[in-house]
Amino acid sequence: MKFQVNRDVFAEAVSFAVKLLPQRTTQPILSGVLLSAEDGALTLSSFDYEVSSQTEIPAEVDEAGTALVSGRLLADIASRLPNAPVVFEKVDNKIAVTCGSARFTLLSMPVEEYPTLPQVSEQTGVLPADDFAAAVAQVAVAASRDDVTPVITGVQLEVGDNSLSLVATDRYRVAIRAIDWDSGQSSAEGVTALVPARTLSEIGKTFGHAGTVSVSIVRGEDRELIAFSSEKRTVTSLLIKGNFPPVRRLFPETVDNYAVLNTAELVDAVRRVALVLEREAALRFSFSIDGLTLEAAGAEQAQASESIDAHLHGEDTVVSLKPSFLLDALSAVHSEFVRVSFTKTENPNKPGPVLITSQSSKDQPGSDDYKYLLQPNLLLR
């Protein structure tokens, strides 16, 4: 094997290929990146049985062939090479990498022991890459990080007629966002896929500027996986098995009692007042016709309070919210104003979950359908 590639293009391709590789693996062979050179192209692949990445870049191929090298090491080398063409040549069981006056010799791992990457051919649908990346960032933050209950560590993708909904929960909050979706000629409505949130977050960042993203959901006896493809790049992930909780029923159809606030002002006030709080403590939010007052009582008698403008529609309301969870919602709203809606429970003295949505102006709701329900654990238990 011998080929030459552009330094910047190669470095970007290696970075993509290794991004989803685990930091540690019990099988050293799975830490490798497979290089396949033929017909004027170089294909880089990685696979750890759960997630795979594959990309193709142009290459001047003098001699076709394959090689398997350490992914992390190759990425470190590629990111620091001088600005010159990169030449790879396989000699016996070693790989010589030359770039300008820099030269590296890498050990080639046994290609025959490397697993075969999953192949996905049938497309389920296509969606706008920028909307997809934004939706993933808005929703994935609400997924659980506790592996004890794997089913809520994922983001549920739900295919509708012309839209794709993303849903996540950690029992204390629920986030939902729908985006445009084109199923083409396929009848994919009603199809669901539960994707690990960490993997989906990386995929969203990777394909955020790709134009469009093709999605394939594969169901079979031996595997259930999802594939995302765009611009000669493909990522596959095994799906999480299990039934996602029916969290949509937690969202009220209408809410009459709500407040509209400036998003940036609320974020700044929450961050300031929360400084005196202990780690898991909540902030007290008092909404009235005069505005919003935030109050915190910290350790060793430390206290803080602040008042900001708020336009209240309905009755005075007092709620206690975990500041980090609220800030996650406010950072995902992406609008100048935010609507904080108050739901009711059967107990008039016990406020229901708080619904966070975007607000274009003081009087106009936001144009997207992003919804974030805070403290739904009261209803999920």
Side-chain angles (χ1 to χ4, degrees):
M1 181 184 74
K2 185 177 181 180
F3 64 86
Q4 177 177 301
V5 289
N6 176 278
R7 181 261 188 199
D8 293 338
V9 174
F10 177 70
E12 185 178 354
V14 176
S15 175
F16 166 80
V18 306
K19 187 174 293 184
L20 293 172
L21 281 177
Q23 294 291 336
R24 295 180 179 84
T25 176
T26 56
Q27 302 181 56
I29 197 80
L30 300 182
S31 66
V33 167
L34 185 67
L35 307 176
S36 301
E38 64 177 342
D39 300 331
L42 172 68
T43 301
L44 300 91
S45 310
S46 64
F47 185 34
D48 69 350
Y49 290 113
E50 293 186 4
V51 180
S52 77
S53 301
Q54 188 171 79
T55 184
E56 180 184 299
I57 59 173
E60 296 179 16
V61 181
D62 295 329
E63 184 177 350
T66 59
L68 183 66
V69 298
S70 168
R72 300 293 177 190
L73 178 58
L74 184 63
D76 289 341
I77 292 172
S79 65
R80 291 171 173 80
L81 289 174
N83 189 16
V86 186
V87 178
F88 274 72
E89 185 173 7
K90 186 176 183 180
V91 181
D92 297 327
N93 66 333
K94 295 184 178 181
I95 308 296
V97 183
T98 306
C99 182
S101 60
R103 180 179 175 85
F104 297 85
T105 301
L106 306 179
L107 181 66
S108 179
M109 304 162 81
V111 174
E112 62 275 7
E113 296 180 15
Y114 198 69
T116 302
L117 269 70
Q119 299 298 313
V120 180
S121 57
E122 188 173 336
Q123 177 180 286
T124 308
V126 179
L127 43 78
D130 53 351
D131 288 348
F132 169 65
V136 170
Q138 288 177 308
V139 172
V141 69
S144 174
R145 294 169 178 78
D146 185 357
D147 293 335
V148 174
T149 312
V151 74
I152 58 174
T153 62
V155 176
Q156 173 97 328
L157 307 187
E158 301 173 350
V159 179
D161 186 13
N162 296 304
S163 68
L164 176 72
S165 293
L166 292 81
V167 189
T169 184
D170 61 1
R171 287 198 180 95
Y172 303 99
R173 53 197 172 153
V174 181
I176 294 181
R177 169 76 194 276
I179 54 178
D180 292 338
W181 166 268
D182 181 7
S183 296
Q185 301 299 317
S186 65
S187 56
E189 186 175 0
V191 172
T192 63
L194 187 53
V195 188
R198 295 172 189 169
T199 302
L200 192 64
S201 294
E202 288 296 336
I203 292 171
K205 296 172 186 175
T206 298
F207 292 116
H209 303 286
T212 59
V213 177
S214 171
V215 182
S216 302
I217 300 172
V218 179
R219 302 283 188 183
E221 294 182 0
D222 59 335
R223 61 176 183 171
E224 293 188 348
L225 60 85
I226 189 168
F228 300 87
S229 303
S230 183
E231 299 176 349
K232 295 188 176 180
R233 290 184 171 188
T234 299
V235 175
T236 71
S237 172
L238 288 180
L239 300 180
I240 299 173
K241 295 182 179 180
N243 296 319
F244 195 73
V247 294
R248 285 185 177 274
R249 64 182 175 84
L250 302 174
F251 287 85
E253 293 185 6
T254 59
V255 181
D256 299 324
N257 192 23
Y258 63 90
V260 176
L261 306 94
N262 180 281
T263 307
E265 288 182 5
L266 180 55
V267 168
D268 290 343
V270 170
R271 286 176 174 166
R272 278 191 293 266
V273 178
L275 289 174
V276 302
L277 285 180
E278 294 181 343
R279 186 175 179 182
E280 296 298 324
L283 279 179
R284 178 184 173 93
F285 295 79
S286 300
F287 294 86
S288 70
I289 193 67
D290 297 322
L292 166 64
T293 298
L294 300 82
E295 299 171 281
E300 299 180 359
Q301 308 303 313
Q303 295 181 343
S305 66
E306 184 170 346
S307 296
I308 60 174
D309 290 337
H311 300 272
L312 182 64
H313 297 256
E315 58 193 44
D316 292 0
T317 302
V318 178
V319 292
S320 293
L321 304 173
K322 189 174 180 179
S324 61
F325 284 179
L326 179 59
L327 289 171
D328 284 342
L330 298 178
S331 65
V333 165
H334 300 161
S335 59
E336 182 179 359
F337 294 90
V338 62
R339 177 181 291 203
V340 180
S341 302
F342 312 106
T343 65
K344 295 183 179 295
T345 64
E346 295 180 358
N347 184 347
N349 298 318
K350 193 173 186 179
V354 171
L355 178 63
I356 310 293
T357 54
S358 63
Q359 188 84 4
S360 299
S361 66
K362 293 179 180 178
D363 304 312
Q364 184 67 36
S367 57
D368 67 19
D369 57 357
Y370 174 67
K371 296 184 293 186
Y372 182 104
L373 194 66
L374 184 51
Q375 289 184 324
N377 57 305
L378 299 174
L379 302 180
L380 278 174
R381 285 176 176 171

